[in-house]
Amino acid sequence: DTAVSQTPKYLVTQMGNDKSIKCEQNLGHDTMYWYKQDSKKFLKIMFSYNNKELIINETVPNRFSPKSPDKAHLNLHINSLELGDSAVYFCASSPTTTYSYNEQFFGPGTRLTVL
Amino acid sequence: AQTVTQSQPEMSVQEAETVTLSCTYDTSESDYYLFWYKQPPSRQMILVIRQEAYKQQNATENRFSVNFQKAAKSFSLKISDSQLGDAAMYFCAYSRSAAGTYKYIFGTGTRLKVLA
């Protein structure tokens, strides 16, 4: 059973398009995250949700809009895609948002390529 | 602001040998947590080991151990008896609770190659 799953794993699209990436966790965790890993492998947090509520928004362009229909799902919608959006996007979850000792469980990543 | 630095973009080690990956961080806080995550070619990030800053004892997990030097703000990862499956990107991360939440700050990663 996959703990944190993402769909799709690969996404190739044209500039200007709108696309979504879906994430689901079956661990019963309260907190979910979106990270962006650029071509140099630098991993940076974008958003954090706790029980469907936005907790962290790290100065991400408003073309990126996360949506959490329930605490097991956190989707990422991207409008008007740009070349610089090409990256690997990781979803992650952790039991709660309050204990910094918590391990984060990562999904397999979605490689987005914008042409 | 907290920062995490991994000064070795790439390291190589012979199978069965020992290798140490370096990580330094900058913080003015005294209570925080440090992690090492592994990212193999499959891209899946996996927790290797974690350390609580208020614990002086270095964490160990089987072949993996850390050398935590709080005063020097250093958190290196030692891999003993290296195996081919250890080949991966290794990321150091810092975490601290603030305002009821926390987030990871990752280093830039070290690519480890294991030579047969």
Side-chain angles (χ1 to χ4, degrees):
Chain A
D1 246 3
T2 304
V4 181
S5 59
Q6 292 178 231
T7 53
K9 284 194 175 177
Y10 298 93
L11 187 52
V12 181
T13 188
Q14 298 287 332
M15 259 187 0
N17 283 351
D18 303 338
K19 290 293 178 186
S20 292
I21 306 171
K22 295 187 175 183
C23 177
E24 176 181 0
Q25 54 95 3
N26 62 6
L27 297 167
H29 289 168
D30 284 345
T31 309
M32 296 184 73
Y33 310 84
W34 277 111
Y35 287 88
K36 179 180 180 180
Q37 187 175 43
D38 63 23
S39 58
K40 294 184 178 178
K41 301 292 188 182
F42 186 58
L43 197 61
K44 192 172 190 305
I45 190 166
M46 300 172 69
F47 301 103
S48 163
Y49 267 73
N50 186 61
N51 237 333
K52 304 192 295 178
E53 181 184 344
L54 181 65
I55 300 295
I56 295 173
N57 182 343
E58 285 287 306
T59 321
V60 177
N62 57 16
R63 299 183 295 104
F64 290 79
S65 52
K67 283 188 174 50
S68 182
D70 55 62
K71 74 173 191 178
H73 296 85
L74 180 62
N75 304 322
L76 183 65
H77 187 76
I78 316 170
N79 288 328
S80 303
L81 278 155
E82 300 177 357
L83 293 176
D85 297 333
S86 295
V88 180
Y89 292 85
F90 286 95
C91 178
S93 73
S94 66
T96 74
T97 189
T98 51
Y99 296 111
S100 57
Y101 185 70
N102 282 334
E103 174 183 357
Q104 291 189 11
F105 293 80
F106 286 79
T110 295
R111 182 179 293 280
L112 171 65
T113 303
V114 182
L115 304 175
Chain B
Q2 293 89 6
T3 58
V4 178
T5 302
Q6 293 179 248
S7 58
Q8 306 151 317
E10 191 171 294
M11 294 279 287
S12 294
V13 62
Q14 288 290 140
E15 205 177 354
E17 297 293 308
T18 296
V19 64
T20 298
L21 309 184
S22 301
C23 173
T24 58
Y25 56 94
D26 187 23
T27 184
S28 58
E29 307 299 333
S30 59
D31 188 18
Y32 49 86
Y33 297 90
L34 297 163
F35 303 79
W36 278 99
Y37 276 83
K38 170 184 177 181
Q39 186 180 38
S42 66
R43 296 200 310 240
Q44 188 87 37
M45 295 278 286
I46 304 162
L47 177 66
V48 175
I49 198 165
R50 58 186 154 185
Q51 173 81 38
E52 300 165 62
Y54 63 84
K55 282 190 176 177
Q56 291 190 335
Q57 187 173 4
N58 289 324
T60 62
E61 287 285 345
N62 301 315
R63 297 182 296 108
F64 299 88
S65 61
V66 299
N67 183 3
F68 174 50
Q69 302 288 330
K70 191 171 183 178
K73 297 178 184 174
S74 169
F75 182 59
S76 59
L77 174 70
K78 186 170 89 170
I79 306 174
S80 304
D81 185 25
S82 296
Q83 300 174 359
L84 294 176
D86 295 333
M89 284 289 291
Y90 286 82
F91 291 93
C92 178
Y94 166 99
S95 173
R96 180 182 173 269
S97 296
T101 189
Y102 77 96
K103 63 180 181 183
Y104 282 179
I105 297 170
F106 283 94
T108 49
T110 296
R111 182 177 300 281
L112 177 66
K113 294 184 176 180
V114 181
L115 308 172

